[in-house]
Amino acid sequence: MFVDGGYDATPMTRIASAARVATNTIYWYFKDKDELLVAVLDRVLARALADAASRDQEPWADQLLWAVGQLEQFHRLVTVVHARAATSPVVNDWHESFHRLVDDILTDGFRKTGTPEESLRAMTQVGVFVVEGLLLHPHSVPDRREIIELLTRPQRPPAALDSP
Amino acid sequence: MFVDGGYDATPMTRIASAARVATNTIYWYFKDKDELLVAVLDRVLARALADAASRDQEPWADQLLWAVGQLEQFHRLVTVVHARAATSPVVNDWHESFHRLVDDILTDGFRKTGTPEESLRAMTQVGVFVVEGLLLHPHSVPDRREIIELLTRPQRPPAALDSP
DNA sequence: ACCTGAACACCGTTCAAGT
DNA sequence: ACCTGAACACCGTTCAAGT
């Protein structure tokens, strides 16, 4: 319901009645609405990661493109995570660990495709921002592909031009 | 108050009492809280643009770096704009026109620094995401500089390497 | 351990009435 | 035109009580 209708727009009462319990019953399982959000986030991310693991041998850019395409369904969650992270420590923790995860994946990818070590950190940051931007603002498939390909294009000139 | 305390965390009652009027008096000037937000956004952006106009002759990367530094103060507004844009048409309109603005500025900058025309669109998108990312997640000044410099680095190899 | 009806505190917004 | 006290509808959360 958070994914489809938005966090603010789905009151606890509606969640409870969908679960066929009284509203306050939710508070026996979750401390507050933010913890419920984090539970949803954990689920959604775990599924996406499990799916991604099955695409081990595809080229890096394709894997990334596919993952972004998957996660884009949840762009409503992305905006609310940013909004709630300022107030809720649990959401803030989740957000930070998500950033670390994306950071690690991108650092690895950029290093393997020959990004020079001295610009690796900044390049990764740019990558994180691009991923986040794509999640925040859904794009058409070709646009997404073009952006990801520009991002993941090897940094050094191709070997054919390097050797005489 | 939206900038310092956050949109959700500053109730209309507090705004009203800071303005020394009754709460409902605000509704004579603004249709609702979202329109009040847009009024704040317009003010903040107008000031930043006026400041930026005075830096005409500096290099492009420096201008951009400085503008991002200025706007970073308002990162609380950035998150709430994304959150409210999904619900409020006025906020959504403001957000779209802001993106168009950044898009135009970046397209211009990238074109002038020799980005090939066929990757201009994607490059601009990457730029928009980087700007948005920097506004969303405050960075240290050197980190910001490094990221912006990586982004604005001319795409074609420098002339010294091109000519024999 | 698990669930509930009823209440509480707080919020954005509106109404009817004033000047 | 401008402002207000009082109310309304809705929200997340808690309490005291049940099984």
Side-chain angles (χ1 to χ4, degrees):
Chain A
M1 297 169 87
F2 287 164
V3 171
D4 297 335
Y7 179 81
D8 285 328
T10 67
M12 297 295 268
T13 52
R14 207 181 307 157
I15 298 170
S17 76
R20 296 174 183 284
V21 290
T23 307
N24 44 359
T25 299
I26 300 176
Y27 289 86
W28 195 87
Y29 294 92
F30 302 95
K31 195 179 145 285
D32 52 26
K33 204 183 177 184
D34 288 309
E35 281 208 352
L36 187 54
L37 173 62
V38 169
V40 171
L41 293 170
D42 280 338
R43 261 222 205 182
V44 159
L45 183 60
R47 256 180 237 171
L49 288 180
D51 278 7
S54 69
R55 308 208 148 214
D56 244 4
Q57 49 269 45
E58 295 184 29
W60 182 56
D62 290 359
Q63 276 184 57
L64 189 59
L65 184 62
W66 181 84
V68 167
Q70 288 303 104
L71 289 174
E72 202 182 61
Q73 304 172 252
F74 309 113
H75 80 273
R76 279 233 152 131
L77 295 181
V78 180
T79 72
V80 84
V81 164
H82 286 121
R84 298 298 310 156
T87 312
S88 160
V90 257
V91 176
N92 189 49
D93 286 352
W94 189 91
H95 179 238
E96 279 178 10
S97 81
F98 178 74
H99 265 257
R100 269 195 300 274
L101 177 72
V102 177
D103 208 288
D104 287 350
I105 293 173
L106 290 180
T107 302
D108 203 54
F110 282 125
R111 184 177 277 128
K112 280 185 181 153
T113 50
T115 303
E117 204 67 25
E118 86 262 13
S119 52
L120 195 58
R121 245 174 57 95
M123 195 64 199
T124 299
Q125 267 305 328
V126 171
V128 170
F129 291 155
V130 167
V131 169
E132 193 165 58
L134 284 171
L135 299 186
L136 225 38
H137 308 96
H139 279 63
S140 71
V141 178
D143 279 359
R144 218 151 63 204
R145 151 156 276 122
E146 203 187 343
I147 292 166
I148 297 268
E149 261 164 19
L150 177 68
L151 180 73
T152 54
R153 184 178 300 168
Q155 285 311 99
R156 327 210 94 241
L161 290 178
D162 248 354
S163 52
Chain B
M1 298 169 86
F2 288 163
V3 171
D4 297 335
Y7 179 82
D8 286 328
T10 68
M12 297 296 269
T13 53
R14 207 181 308 158
I15 297 171
S17 77
R20 297 175 181 281
V21 290
T23 307
N24 44 0
T25 300
I26 300 177
Y27 290 85
W28 196 87
Y29 295 92
F30 302 94
K31 196 178 145 285
D32 52 26
K33 204 182 177 184
D34 287 310
E35 282 208 352
L36 188 54
L37 173 62
V38 169
V40 171
L41 294 169
D42 280 338
R43 261 221 207 182
V44 159
L45 183 60
R47 255 181 238 171
L49 288 180
D51 278 6
S54 69
R55 309 207 147 214
D56 245 4
Q57 48 269 43
E58 296 185 27
W60 182 56
D62 290 358
Q63 275 184 59
L64 190 59
L65 183 61
W66 180 84
V68 167
Q70 287 305 102
L71 289 174
E72 202 182 62
Q73 305 172 252
F74 309 112
H75 80 273
R76 279 231 150 135
L77 294 180
V78 180
T79 72
V80 83
V81 163
H82 286 121
R84 299 298 311 157
T87 313
S88 160
V90 258
V91 177
N92 190 48
D93 287 351
W94 189 92
H95 179 238
E96 280 178 10
S97 80
F98 178 74
H99 265 257
R100 269 195 301 274
L101 178 71
V102 178
D103 208 286
D104 287 350
I105 293 172
L106 290 180
T107 302
D108 203 54
F110 281 125
R111 183 177 278 129
K112 280 183 181 153
T113 49
T115 303
E117 204 66 27
E118 85 264 15
S119 52
L120 195 58
R121 245 174 56 94
M123 195 65 198
T124 298
Q125 268 304 328
V126 170
V128 171
F129 291 155
V130 167
V131 169
E132 193 165 58
L134 284 172
L135 299 186
L136 224 38
H137 308 96
H139 278 62
S140 71
V141 178
D143 280 0
R144 218 150 64 204
R145 154 156 273 123
E146 202 188 344
I147 292 166
I148 298 266
E149 262 164 18
L150 177 68
L151 180 73
T152 55
R153 184 178 300 168
Q155 285 312 99
R156 328 209 93 242
L161 291 178
D162 249 355
S163 52

